[in-house]
Amino acid sequence: MFKAFMGVSVCGTAPEPQHVRQKLVDNPSFARSCGFTLPDPKLGYRQSDIPGLRKLEQFDQVMSDNGLWGEAAVEQVAKNLKEERVKLEPTLVHDTTHYQAFSSMRVVDLPEDEERPSSNDVKSDDTKADVVNPTTTKPRKQQPKRRKGKRKSQSKTIKTCKCPDRANCPHPWVSADEGAGTVVKSTGKMYWGHKASTLSFADQEILLDAVAMTDAASHDSQSLPDHVARVFRLHPNLKPAIKRVLDDGAADDQTLKDFFRTEWEIELLAPVNPRRRGPMTEDLPRGIDHLTPIGIPICRQGYPLEFLTCRHDTRKFVFQAPSGEDRTPVCWECPTRSECYRGNVGARRVTIGFDRLPWLHPEFPQVSKRFAKVMARRTVIERLHKLMKYDFGDDRLSKRGTKAFQARLDKTLLAMHLTLAHG
């Protein structure tokens, strides 16, 4: 049965009991390869015959509840590392991915805070009088504003008991799909599903570990420290080799970067996350229309300036106007050149102080070409997510709960490393 589950995953089908049963019945060669015999009416039932769906479900449940899929996956990853099928690298790549949940959701209202008077109600001593209605000239008291209640999506609640009167029995209501939540991918783009944290090397398209997050609605960066610590615990030989971790903008947090530096002496790199920071339009150099939330100067003609270097003596970032397709600086034929660029050669250069862009690190600026070249290696994790969800299964779950989701991830990880070992 172990071989049957792994064989189904390698074939590109989700390694779930119903798919395994169908594959064994439809493909006699596959069944024989897994060690099963075909049913023979003349011989009657044999213990080696193709198992029924219930037997496969029991096997999968025992493996999932006891973490045996995970132990097999970790053992195979360690074996591939030891036999150097997976080469050690100094750079790890982290990201999160989601699977669509096999459940429905409902939205609940969170408890509201106590009503508090708005800022308009708290006035200075000379304006504490009642507000006057200009039409009636009669004083009226201003009502406190009611805060808008917060809402949260969660899975429906059920009872696991079999009592005849479930509505009034003493057994507690529990979540029907523990760990599921609303996964926000972008503005207006959300999914109801489970979220997983994944790690891999930067140069090899092979998954190192995948962990189900206990709450899919939690921030992506919350999984990074615990996941790296888990990998170092499972594979101690990785700890002295890893010097850098690449992540997306969710990990752009100085506290998190300091933690990695002090805990493991690891450099955490992530692109600038502007969050709610808007463009800057005041106190700008000549000819600059605005600074983007990341810190890139945009000239009045709409050209983004390119990062050039850092002047550490004067503590300034240096940006330069780009060149066109003919490798000629765009400043040479700019209609507002006389108002901006006053040189005869080269292109317009702009300096921005370090204190104006405190989120950029002068030692390794996130807007430099060198940083972009390093972060370009992070795309390997996106290709891995495609392999996980479409080449070794699918992105739709057929079971509920964090434990079942972790079992799906473990089976996928195991199938990928078995393919690497025997491919």
Side-chain angles (χ1 to χ4, degrees):
M1 285 190 281
F2 182 89
K3 293 180 180 179
F5 274 88
M6 291 299 98
V8 166
S9 181
V10 171
C11 291
T13 306
E16 300 298 342
Q18 63 272 22
H19 302 307
V20 175
R21 169 66 180 176
Q22 191 67 35
K23 189 74 171 179
L24 290 172
V25 173
D26 294 344
N27 194 335
S29 298
F30 177 74
R32 293 191 186 97
S33 300
C34 295
F36 296 114
T37 55
L38 302 180
D40 190 341
K42 297 180 180 180
L43 299 177
Y45 173 76
R46 292 169 294 177
Q47 191 174 5
S48 59
D49 282 348
I50 295 175
L53 178 59
R54 182 174 179 81
K55 185 64 65 176
L56 291 169
E57 290 175 342
Q58 291 175 342
F59 173 79
D60 187 39
Q61 184 175 359
V62 170
M63 294 286 288
S64 301
D65 291 345
N66 294 278
L68 299 180
W69 290 121
E71 291 184 13
V74 170
E75 183 179 352
Q76 186 61 46
V77 173
K79 184 178 180 180
N80 287 345
L81 287 170
K82 182 179 180 181
E83 297 178 358
E84 296 187 351
R85 295 190 182 97
V86 180
K87 306 291 184 181
L88 291 180
E89 297 181 24
T91 304
L92 283 178
V93 180
H94 172 264
D95 202 0
T96 59
T97 187
H98 75 279
Y99 286 67
Q100 297 187 39
F102 184 65
S103 63
S104 58
M105 56 165 282
R106 68 173 183 175
V107 180
V108 298
D109 295 325
L110 298 179
E112 296 183 1
D113 297 336
E114 294 182 1
E115 291 185 358
R116 284 185 268 176
S118 63
S119 57
N120 296 331
D121 300 328
V122 183
K123 302 180 179 295
S124 57
D125 294 337
D126 56 344
T127 59
K128 285 184 178 179
D130 293 339
V131 179
V132 177
N133 189 329
T135 59
T136 61
T137 66
K138 293 182 180 180
R140 61 177 177 82
K141 292 185 177 181
Q142 189 171 0
Q143 297 295 329
K145 291 185 178 181
R146 183 182 296 274
R147 289 193 169 189
K148 187 177 180 180
K150 295 182 178 180
R151 311 182 77 191
K152 178 179 174 60
S153 57
Q154 66 177 32
S155 61
K156 294 183 178 180
T157 54
I158 60 172
K159 286 190 175 183
T160 57
C161 64
K162 296 183 179 180
C163 299
D165 187 8
R166 294 177 119 189
N168 299 318
C169 72
H171 299 97
W173 292 91
V174 296
S175 174
D177 194 359
E178 181 186 4
T182 302
V183 182
V184 180
K185 303 302 291 185
S186 62
T187 304
K189 191 174 182 180
M190 298 178 289
Y191 301 92
W192 176 252
H194 285 265
K195 186 186 292 185
S197 173
T198 57
L199 279 174
S200 73
F201 284 128
D203 292 333
Q204 301 172 81
E205 200 167 301
I206 184 67
L207 188 66
L208 279 179
D209 195 34
V211 176
M213 299 178 64
T214 55
D215 184 9
S218 59
H219 197 263
D220 291 356
S221 62
Q222 296 181 5
S223 65
L224 180 57
D226 292 339
H227 199 177
V228 173
R230 165 188 159 92
V231 170
F232 287 165
R233 183 178 68 255
L234 297 177
H235 311 288
N237 57 324
L238 293 182
K239 188 173 182 179
I242 302 302
K243 303 299 179 185
R244 177 179 288 175
V245 175
L246 308 181
D247 207 340
D248 59 8
D252 182 29
D253 181 76
Q254 192 57 45
T255 303
L256 187 61
K257 294 178 181 179
D258 294 340
F259 172 80
F260 270 79
R261 186 178 297 108
T262 57
E263 184 73 14
W264 297 301
E265 296 183 356
I266 290 177
E267 181 183 26
L268 174 60
L269 296 183
V272 175
N273 188 344
R275 294 183 171 88
R276 298 183 179 181
R277 189 168 54 242
M280 292 168 280
T281 57
E282 298 180 356
D283 299 330
L284 300 177
R286 183 181 68 256
I288 300 302
D289 181 74
H290 67 276
L291 298 180
T292 66
I294 295 177
I296 302 295
I298 306 296
C299 74
R300 294 177 182 175
Q301 294 300 313
Y303 289 104
L305 274 63
E306 299 175 348
F307 175 80
L308 187 62
T309 186
C310 289
R311 294 176 181 171
H312 294 275
D313 53 346
T314 58
R315 298 183 59 78
K316 291 182 181 295
F317 298 107
V318 182
F319 295 86
Q320 179 174 278
S323 299
E325 295 180 357
D326 56 354
R327 298 185 180 181
T328 301
V330 296
C331 298
W332 290 9
E333 298 180 358
C334 180
T336 60
R337 175 178 178 177
S338 59
E339 302 175 6
C340 175
Y341 180 54
R342 300 171 183 174
N344 296 322
V345 295
R348 174 79 164 102
R349 290 187 178 183
V350 170
T351 58
I352 307 293
F354 288 174
D355 56 345
R356 190 75 185 275
L357 306 174
W359 51 87
L360 296 183
H361 301 291
E363 297 80 10
F364 199 8
Q366 297 94 316
V367 293
S368 63
K369 293 182 179 179
R370 183 164 58 102
F371 185 89
K373 184 178 180 180
V374 172
M375 292 303 300
R377 304 166 67 192
R378 206 188 71 85
T379 56
V380 67
I381 201 73
E382 304 293 343
R383 295 189 292 273
L384 269 176
H385 291 167
K386 183 261 181 185
L387 289 173
M388 291 171 59
K389 297 195 288 186
Y390 301 105
D391 292 16
F392 286 87
D394 56 47
D395 64 340
R396 294 179 179 272
L397 300 176
S398 58
K399 294 181 181 179
R400 300 174 181 177
T402 304
K403 187 177 293 185
F405 179 44
Q406 182 62 58
R408 165 71 75 85
L409 296 174
D410 292 334
K411 285 183 278 189
T412 302
L413 176 63
L414 177 58
M416 295 177 74
H417 279 266
L418 286 174
T419 303
L420 179 65
H422 301 282

